[in-house]
């Protein structure tokens, strides 16, 4: 065998050679060769064996890498042998010596003197720096579980004749282990004393004042509270029934009153950050309840961000068709995700409304044809849907936190799932066919039935433009149509200068009508029809004459004052506020995509503060979380750079870039990641190559949407609510957290859309090149 052939074998089997080195050090080389290379030809085995023996033989050659080193170069001795190396060379020397079991061998010498090995080491170090720079601590959308450490700060006091002369003392911490009592001065007690305190009558805990003996553990000064805290433990012989009652009491009241100071700060921080993510999220939550063997949509939550980033009317319309929603709910219960296409296509018979998921279209073999026709017509919406289950515990928490009586809101008690929706039409609108396709007859199951669900919605008060208080009411009314004719109606709600009526569907109404409501002393008042929906018969009215407003308003006010208790529970603003807070509370615990909270800072990478991710999210794919550290270099870091940089983040923070698609191909043979530029993936010939590789099963596609949204303000609808409990414990920390809220600047949402983009590629759909756009060079 020639020298050239031997070198080729050594180069090819370099990983095997390095794996065999420890075996040679332990005199087990033959065992290692048999283990790793049973099927290799004997000639190759011989070359590999000789190379391992050569590399592991000792040497006394001095190493000097100054020819390709990064100065300064250091002089030192290694096992008594002179070395002249820079920092990188010294690091290689240390790691290679460790590989050869603390011996200076030919292999160590050659590694130190090999410039290619040196450059690879530099690249590895640089990559590690980049990865570390984009590593961010993670939090979960699930509530913090304090476990056995949970302790509340109750709103009652305790007293003992043997403690502070019987004065009533505030309890700063109360748990199933013991309690901490606050005093202004150091108490006159000794560690180890047993002191009997009287607990007052507390609903859910004690039915009458109860004496309990505690064991004094310690007395410490709390600088945050400015008071002394005496820590008491329950004795070992305490009644187990009382401890069980106490545990249940703490579990129930933990959401209604403050926790112990440090725990309350942790809870407030998580709640404030989750609220900010929801407030600035493009996802629009729609709540579902069971219906027969399926689900039906009930109510949606509008926020500033999701109304701004979605056409809410079109989005809800894409979910309203009853037969379609049944098939959608079955699909999404199975996959937890769906992409819905809703729009108009033109066929020979005219324009047809269609609604379908992308999986339905694939099953019918019509995905490419239908997307082409929808994009060509332009009248469509593509909605990305993700769903999560709303548990009974979630609803109990929401009712408790906002002090809502569940019996008064039975519709909310019946909610079982939350469906998050986002308009992703931008990825479809510019698509066209890259190859011919068969236009099959339009399947009847794709056509909209016209039988729709009604989806209510609530919004925060800033978005609700109605200025007057309205009351739910059920009174008979009549609308005068002519001299001798009138139609019956029902008053659904009433305000000082307007009302909502229910009439027979498809009734004919004029722009101005006269309404009489005998029970409300309204007779032939002239109202203007602000909105009328003939299919449902809902009419919204407003007083048309300014001169009459004061008289009618005074009349309504008198009726309300005379029946305050009746109208209080029928105040629509109050009902909507409770409903809004309840479904908000459910939404923050089930956010569907990975979210990055960003704050103000001089340095771009230091603006990434915290990542929030649900426990079952796969938005990080093809990367993975290590404990509580999230690696974001794959989505943000500039490729091929020696130092950590990010054009994507800089563009998003300067607001020159709002959305980006980050694409990777995972090679199945060796799990190697190949990054694909967005333009190359969407527009270039590389898309056809990716398609062929996908069809052959050689690669897996990962396409991730990155969307940045600037925070709409320092305050969210629930900021005051979240800080209310903390304000009772620590005013300084309350002020600090309140000030911190202005420091958040952006929320970045990272969403895996691989399921859709994979099928778009396979179905020969490609983006049309925009005008004046140069041909990109494939990566």
């Amino acid at each position: 065998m020639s020298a050239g052939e031997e070198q080729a074998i050594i180069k090819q089997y370099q990983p095997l050679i390095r794996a065999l080195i420890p075996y040679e050090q332990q005199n087990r080389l033959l065992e290692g060769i048999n283990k790793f290379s049973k099927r290799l030809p004997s000639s190759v085995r011989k070359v590999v064996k000789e190379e391992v023996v050569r590399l592991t033989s000792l040497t006394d050659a001095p190493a000097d890498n100054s020819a390709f080193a990064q100065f300064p170069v250091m002089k030192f001795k290694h096992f008594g042998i002179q070395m002249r190396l820079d920092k990188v060379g010294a690091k290689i020397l240390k790691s290679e010596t460790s590989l050869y079991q603390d011996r200076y061998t030919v292999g160590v010498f050659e590694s130190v003197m090999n410039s290619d090995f040196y450059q690879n080491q530099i690249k590895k170090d640089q990559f590690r720096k980049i990865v570390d720079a984009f590593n961010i601590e993670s939090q979960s959308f699930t509530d913090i579980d304090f476990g056995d450490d949970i302790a509340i700060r109750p709103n009652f006091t305790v007293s003992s004749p043997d403690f502070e002369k019987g004065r009533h003392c505030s309890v700063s911490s109360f748990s199933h282990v013991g309690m901490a009592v606050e005093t202004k001065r150091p108490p006159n007690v000794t560690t180890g004393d047993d002191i009997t305190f009287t607990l007052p009558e507390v609903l859910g805990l004690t039915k009458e004042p109860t004496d309990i003996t505690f064991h004094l553990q310690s007395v410490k000064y709390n600088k945050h509270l400015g008071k002394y805290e005496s820590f008491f433990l329950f004795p070992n012989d305490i009644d187990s029934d009382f401890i069980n009652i106490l545990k249940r009491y703490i579990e129930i009241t933990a959401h209604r009153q403050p926790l112990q100071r440090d725990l309350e700060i942790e809870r407030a921080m998580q709640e404030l950050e989750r609220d900010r993510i929801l407030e600035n999220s493009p996802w629009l939550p729609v709540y579902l309840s069971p219906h027969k063997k399926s689900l039906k949509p009930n109510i949606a939550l509008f926020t500033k961000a999701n109304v701004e980033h979605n056409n809410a009317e079109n989005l809800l319309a894409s979910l309203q068709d009853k037969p379609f929603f049944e098939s959608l709910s079955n699909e999404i219960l199975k996959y937890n995700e769906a992409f819905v296409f809703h729009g108009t296509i033109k066929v020979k018979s005219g324009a047809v409304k269609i609604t379908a998921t992308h999986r339905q279209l694939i099953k019918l073999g019509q995905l490419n044809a239908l997307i082409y026709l929808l994009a060509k017509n332009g009248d469509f919406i593509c909605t990305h849907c993700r769903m999560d289950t709303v548990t009974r515990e979630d609803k109990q928490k929401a009712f408790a936190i906002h002090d809502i009586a569940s019996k008064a809101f039975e519709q909310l008690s019946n909610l079982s799932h939350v469906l998050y929706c986002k308009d992703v039409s931008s990825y479809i609108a510019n698509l066209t066919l890259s190859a011919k396709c068969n236009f099959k007859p339009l399947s009847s199951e794709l056509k909209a039935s016209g039988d729709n669900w009604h989806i209510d919605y609530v919004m925060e008060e800033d978005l609700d433009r109605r200025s007057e208080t309205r009351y739910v009411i059920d009174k008979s009314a009549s609308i005068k149509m002519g001299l001798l004719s009138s139609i019956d109606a029902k008053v659904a709600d009433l305000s000082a200068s307007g009302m909502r009526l229910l009439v027979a569907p498809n009734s004919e109404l004029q722009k101005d009508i006269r309404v009489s409501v005998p029970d409300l002393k309204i007779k032939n008042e002239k109202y203007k029809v602000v909105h009328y929906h003939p299919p449902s018969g809902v009419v919204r009215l407003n007083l048309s004459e300014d001169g009459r407003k004061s008289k009618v308003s005074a009349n309504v006010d008198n009726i309300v004052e005379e029946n305050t208790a009746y109208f209080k529970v029928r105040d629509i603003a109050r009902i909507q506020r409770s409903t809004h807070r309840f479904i908000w509370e459910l939404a923050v615990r089930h956010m569907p995509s990975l979210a990055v909270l960003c704050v103000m800072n001089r340095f771009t990478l230091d603006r990434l503060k915290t990542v929030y991710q649900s426990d079952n999210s796969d938005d990080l794919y093809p990367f993975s979380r290590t404990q509580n550290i999230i690696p974001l270099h794959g989505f943000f870091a500039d490729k091929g750079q020696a130092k950590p940089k990010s054009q994507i983040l800089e563009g998003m923070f300067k607001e020159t870039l709002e959305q980006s698609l980050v694409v990777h191909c995972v090679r199945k043979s060796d799990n190697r990641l190949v990054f694909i530029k967005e333009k190359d993936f969407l527009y270039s010939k590389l898309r056809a190559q990716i398609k062929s590789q996908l069809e052959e099963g050689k690669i897996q596609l990962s396409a991730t949407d990155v969307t940045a949204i600037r925070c709409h303000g320092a305050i969210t609808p629930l900021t005051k609510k979240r800080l209310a409990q903390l304000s009772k414990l620590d005013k300084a920390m309350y002020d600090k957290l309140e000030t911190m809220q202005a420091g958040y600047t952006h929320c970045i949402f990272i969403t895996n859309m691989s399921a859709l983009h994979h099928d778009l590629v396979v179905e020969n759909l490609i983006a049309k090149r925009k005008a004046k756009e140069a041909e990109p060079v494939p990566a």
Side-chain angles (χ1 to χ4, degrees):
M1 185 180 292
S2 66
E5 289 174 331
E6 287 185 3
Q7 288 302 314
I9 290 172
I10 291 169
K11 186 176 181 181
Q12 181 180 354
Y13 292 98
Q14 193 62 228
L16 173 60
I17 291 168
R18 289 183 69 83
L20 290 171
I21 286 169
Y23 285 88
E24 167 61 12
Q25 304 288 335
Q26 300 166 17
N27 294 319
R28 296 164 54 213
L29 180 56
L30 188 59
E31 178 189 332
I33 291 175
N34 290 333
K35 180 179 179 180
F36 291 118
S37 55
K38 288 180 180 178
R39 298 181 182 178
L40 290 181
S42 58
S43 57
V44 173
R45 286 161 60 97
K46 182 182 177 184
V47 172
V48 168
K49 179 182 176 182
E50 289 175 351
E51 178 65 11
V52 171
V53 172
R54 188 185 73 82
L55 290 175
T56 53
S57 59
L58 295 174
T59 183
D60 58 358
D64 182 351
N65 75 342
S66 55
F68 50 82
Q70 294 178 348
F71 288 89
V73 173
M74 301 171 288
K75 292 182 180 179
F76 60 93
K77 287 187 176 181
H78 182 67
F79 295 142
I81 301 164
Q82 190 66 41
M83 300 287 152
R84 196 166 183 268
L85 307 171
D86 67 346
K87 287 184 179 179
V88 178
K91 188 175 180 181
I92 293 171
L93 177 66
K94 182 179 178 182
S95 62
E96 290 295 291
T97 302
S98 175
L99 174 66
Y100 287 86
Q101 297 195 334
D102 290 329
R103 300 171 71 198
Y104 183 58
T105 66
V106 172
V108 177
F109 172 77
E110 290 184 355
S111 295
V112 172
M113 297 298 291
N114 188 324
S115 63
D116 290 337
F117 195 91
Y118 180 91
Q119 292 300 326
N120 286 335
Q121 185 65 39
I122 288 178
K123 287 180 181 178
K124 285 180 183 178
D125 291 344
Q126 288 173 341
F127 181 70
R128 195 173 292 112
K129 287 179 183 177
I130 291 171
V131 172
D132 291 344
F134 287 91
N135 278 349
I136 312 297
E137 284 193 11
S138 72
Q139 293 275 5
S140 172
F141 287 112
T142 308
D143 288 339
I144 299 171
D145 182 7
F146 295 110
D148 289 341
D149 294 331
I150 191 166
I152 60 172
R153 182 188 175 95
N155 54 9
F156 58 78
T157 58
V158 295
S159 63
S160 170
D162 302 325
F163 188 82
E164 289 291 274
K165 299 179 181 179
R167 295 190 188 95
H168 285 266
C169 301
S170 298
V171 180
S172 63
S173 174
F174 198 54
S175 71
H176 70 277
V177 175
M179 71 175 180
V181 177
E182 290 180 358
T183 53
K184 291 183 179 179
R185 303 175 188 83
N188 187 21
V189 287
T190 305
T191 301
D193 287 353
D194 289 331
I195 297 176
T196 301
F197 283 96
T198 301
L199 267 64
E201 180 184 341
V202 179
L203 183 65
L205 180 61
T206 54
K207 295 181 179 180
E208 58 185 18
T210 306
D211 291 339
I212 296 180
T213 301
F214 291 86
H215 182 76
L216 179 61
Q217 184 186 35
S218 63
V219 178
K220 296 179 182 177
Y221 179 73
N222 189 323
K223 64 178 181 180
H224 299 293
L225 300 175
K227 294 179 181 179
Y228 288 88
E229 283 187 300
S230 301
F231 294 90
F232 294 91
L233 299 177
F234 286 110
N236 295 329
D237 59 351
I238 187 74
D239 185 4
S240 60
D241 290 339
F242 175 78
I243 295 298
N244 291 331
I245 293 171
L246 176 57
K247 285 182 178 180
R248 177 165 172 75
Y249 171 76
I250 291 172
E251 182 183 348
I252 293 172
T253 60
H255 302 294
R256 293 196 177 107
Q257 55 186 322
L259 299 180
Q260 180 264 332
R261 177 187 174 276
D262 292 342
L263 304 185
E264 184 60 37
I265 291 171
E266 279 189 63
R267 180 167 74 173
M269 282 287 291
Q270 185 195 39
E271 289 180 336
L272 289 167
E273 291 191 335
R274 290 190 308 192
D275 288 345
R276 186 161 304 281
I277 290 168
L278 175 58
E279 169 75 352
N280 299 289
S281 168
W283 292 93
L284 191 153
V286 178
Y287 294 84
L288 318 178
S289 62
H291 177 74
K292 296 181 180 178
K293 293 183 179 180
S294 186
L295 300 167
K296 69 173 183 178
N298 285 78
I299 190 168
L301 173 64
F302 288 177
T303 66
K304 292 187 182 78
N306 68 34
V307 167
E308 185 179 300
H309 286 79
N310 301 286
N311 184 326
E313 186 177 343
N314 284 355
L315 190 148
L316 293 183
S318 70
L319 306 174
Q320 287 180 315
D321 190 85
K322 287 185 179 180
F324 166 73
F325 195 83
E326 184 175 352
S327 60
L328 171 64
S329 59
N330 291 335
E331 178 180 315
I332 211 164
L333 282 169
K334 183 177 181 180
Y335 297 103
N336 290 325
E337 181 179 66
F339 293 90
V340 176
F341 295 94
H342 173 76
T344 306
I345 62 170
K346 292 179 181 178
V347 294
K348 290 180 181 180
S349 58
V352 180
K353 280 275 185 186
I354 67 141
T355 308
T357 69
H358 95 287
R359 288 188 179 91
Q360 285 178 317
L361 295 176
I362 290 171
K363 187 177 179 181
L364 295 168
Q366 294 186 324
L367 180 67
N368 49 9
L370 265 295
I371 287 181
Y372 171 75
L373 293 173
L374 287 170
K376 186 178 180 182
N377 195 36
D379 180 16
F380 79 99
I381 182 174
C382 177
T383 307
H384 187 182
C385 301
R386 286 185 172 180
M387 191 166 74
D388 205 356
T389 303
V390 174
T391 65
R392 183 169 171 269
E393 184 185 4
D394 291 333
K395 289 184 281 190
Q396 286 177 338
K397 283 181 184 177
F399 282 129
I401 289 169
H402 299 292
D403 198 19
I404 300 170
S406 58
K407 292 181 180 178
F409 291 85
E410 288 187 13
Q411 184 186 11
L412 300 181
S413 298
N414 291 334
L415 300 179
S416 61
H417 294 80
V418 55
L419 181 70
Y420 290 89
C421 308
K422 183 173 70 165
D423 185 351
V424 293
S425 306
S426 58
Y427 288 117
I428 309 298
N430 199 36
L431 291 180
T432 188
L433 295 168
S434 62
K436 290 183 179 180
C437 76
N438 295 323
F439 290 89
K440 301 177 182 179
L442 187 65
S443 173
S444 59
E445 66 182 89
L446 302 181
K447 297 177 183 178
S449 68
D451 185 13
N452 294 336
W453 290 114
H454 173 69
I455 305 177
D456 286 323
Y457 59 85
V458 291
M459 60 186 83
E460 54 199 82
E461 292 179 12
D462 289 350
L463 293 177
D464 196 340
R465 298 179 184 85
R466 288 170 295 217
S467 57
E468 291 182 335
T469 302
R470 298 179 304 135
Y471 301 97
V472 176
I473 201 167
D474 183 11
K475 298 291 182 183
S476 298
S478 64
I479 300 172
K480 191 173 182 180
M481 302 299 292
L483 288 174
L484 299 173
S485 64
S486 64
I487 61 173
D488 294 332
K490 285 279 186 183
V491 182
D493 68 53
L494 174 73
S495 69
S497 60
M499 65 174 70
R500 179 164 62 97
L501 295 181
L502 298 177
V503 299
N506 301 313
S507 300
E508 292 187 7
L509 297 178
Q510 299 170 343
K511 291 183 179 178
D512 294 309
I513 59 176
R514 289 192 176 273
V515 179
S516 297
V517 187
D519 291 349
L520 301 178
K521 299 177 183 179
I522 295 174
K523 185 176 181 180
N524 279 339
E525 285 294 344
K526 190 177 181 181
Y527 283 87
K528 183 192 294 182
V529 176
V530 178
H531 178 262
Y532 176 42
H533 187 241
S536 63
V538 176
V539 190
R540 300 182 188 278
L541 306 176
N542 187 26
L543 277 170
S544 55
E545 296 179 13
D546 293 338
R548 299 291 299 168
K549 284 188 178 180
S550 58
K551 184 178 179 180
V552 176
S553 297
N555 191 24
V556 172
D557 290 342
N558 288 335
I559 294 171
V560 172
E561 286 177 12
E562 290 172 4
N563 303 275
T564 306
Y566 175 86
F567 282 100
K568 184 179 179 181
V569 296
R570 289 162 177 80
D571 182 348
I572 288 180
R574 178 179 167 274
I575 294 169
Q576 289 198 333
R577 191 181 308 116
S578 296
T579 303
H580 176 268
R581 289 188 169 188
F582 178 87
I583 63 176
W584 180 288
E585 206 65 48
L586 298 183
V588 296
R589 288 169 172 76
H590 299 278
M591 290 303 293
S593 62
L594 185 146
V596 186
L597 279 172
C598 305
V599 294
M600 288 187 287
N601 201 291
R602 285 178 58 197
F603 304 104
T604 301
L605 300 188
D606 291 336
R607 296 186 66 170
L608 305 177
K609 179 183 181 289
T610 312
V611 174
Y612 273 82
Q613 182 188 28
S614 63
D615 297 332
N616 57 352
S617 169
D618 68 343
D619 291 318
L620 265 183
Y621 182 81
F623 306 94
S624 58
R625 176 173 62 183
T626 305
Q627 294 179 334
N628 67 328
I629 300 298
I630 300 280
L632 296 179
H633 64 280
F635 305 108
F636 295 143
D638 290 350
K639 307 301 180 287
Q641 295 291 323
K643 294 182 179 179
K645 292 181 180 179
S646 177
Q647 287 186 354
I648 287 180
L649 286 178
E650 288 176 3
M652 288 180 169
F653 292 143
K654 291 178 181 177
E655 296 181 28
T656 58
L657 176 68
E658 183 181 300
Q659 190 177 50
S660 181
L661 189 69
V662 180
V663 183
H664 294 90
C665 287
V666 185
R667 201 161 63 189
K668 292 185 178 180
S669 60
D670 56 1
N671 279 336
R672 188 188 167 196
L673 276 182
V674 180
F675 170 73
I676 310 292
K677 292 181 181 177
E678 181 180 2
K679 288 183 179 180
D680 294 346
F681 174 72
L682 294 176
Y683 306 112
S684 77
K685 296 176 182 178
L686 186 61
R687 194 173 175 93
Q689 298 175 26
I690 294 172
K691 174 184 180 294
S692 65
Q693 296 276 307
L694 286 171
E695 289 177 336
E696 293 172 15
K698 292 182 178 179
I699 62 170
Q700 194 163 338
L701 181 68
S702 168
T704 304
D705 173 80
V706 179
T707 300
I709 296 179
R710 184 170 185 82
C711 292
H712 283 78
I715 304 298
T716 69
L718 267 69
T719 298
K720 291 181 180 178
K721 170 76 177 177
R722 303 307 190 195
L723 290 170
Q725 305 286 24
L726 186 60
S727 66
K728 302 173 186 177
L729 304 184
D730 191 331
K731 186 64 169 63
M733 183 55 69
Y734 165 85
D735 292 335
K736 185 177 180 181
L737 282 185
E738 189 178 40
T739 305
M740 275 177 58
Q741 300 312 301
Y744 294 93
T745 62
H746 294 78
C747 292
I748 300 177
F749 297 88
I750 297 175
T751 311
N752 189 329
M753 294 180 63
S754 303
L756 176 66
H757 284 285
H758 172 279
D759 294 327
L760 295 179
V761 172
V762 171
E763 293 292 327
N764 294 315
L765 289 158
I766 190 169
K768 291 179 284 188
R769 188 169 302 287
K770 296 174 184 177
K772 298 181 181 179
E773 190 166 10
E775 175 74 26
V777 178

